Amino acid sequence: MPRWVLGVFMIYLNIAKLTEQQYDHVFIKRAGDEKSITFREKREKFRTKSERDFNKIKPFNKTRFRELFYADEIDIPKTLLLRELFKDYYTTNDNIKHSSKGRY
């Protein structure tokens, strides 16, 4: 189970279950098979996400950190076209009535 030290805090985050032999194969021996490489890449993305989430929380709160870490990533619109921004707004906002979504 990977663990990260963020600042002076240590938090164990479950991202996958590995046996000790699997951990040795993937991380200690640095196996070159496709599954091992993909798993290490995925782990690195989680590490980057955890660092980003850690910097968002001041003062630090473990519960809030776990909520941010396990929440889905929000897609940011790739263009600044008005129709794309409105589409993103009404698809991500649950408080808008159905009729209002149609007008947007």
Side-chain angles (χ1 to χ4, degrees):
M1 170 180 17
R3 65 176 185 225
W4 298 291
V5 177
L6 301 170
V8 293
F9 304 103
M10 181 179 280
I11 298 175
Y12 291 94
L13 300 167
N14 293 325
I15 58 171
K17 294 193 183 264
L18 295 174
T19 63
E20 193 171 330
Q21 291 82 14
Q22 289 171 327
Y23 180 84
D24 288 342
H25 180 74
V26 173
F27 294 107
I28 306 299
K29 295 179 183 176
R30 309 250 337 140
D33 61 295
E34 194 63 34
K35 282 185 175 181
S36 298
I37 293 170
T38 303
F39 188 81
R40 285 193 299 266
E41 287 172 349
K42 182 180 171 185
R43 191 244 358 212
E44 200 55 39
K45 287 180 184 177
F46 280 127
R47 181 175 173 211
T48 305
K49 182 179 180 344
S50 66
E51 289 173 355
R52 231 182 277 119
D53 293 343
F54 176 76
N55 289 328
K56 289 179 186 176
I57 304 172
K58 300 290 181 203
F60 185 73
N61 181 340
K62 283 185 180 182
T63 307
R64 180 69 182 132
F65 177 79
R66 289 180 190 278
E67 288 172 2
L68 283 175
F69 182 79
Y70 290 118
D72 293 334
E73 287 288 317
I74 299 171
D75 291 333
I76 298 171
K78 301 201 181 355
T79 64
L80 293 178
L81 294 174
L82 191 56
R83 71 172 173 260
E84 295 295 326
L85 293 173
F86 271 113
K87 183 178 181 182
D88 181 58
Y89 175 71
Y90 72 76
T91 55
T92 57
N93 194 343
D94 295 331
N95 297 329
I96 300 174
K97 293 180 184 178
H98 184 68
S99 59
S100 297
K101 289 181 182 182
R103 285 193 297 267
Y104 288 142

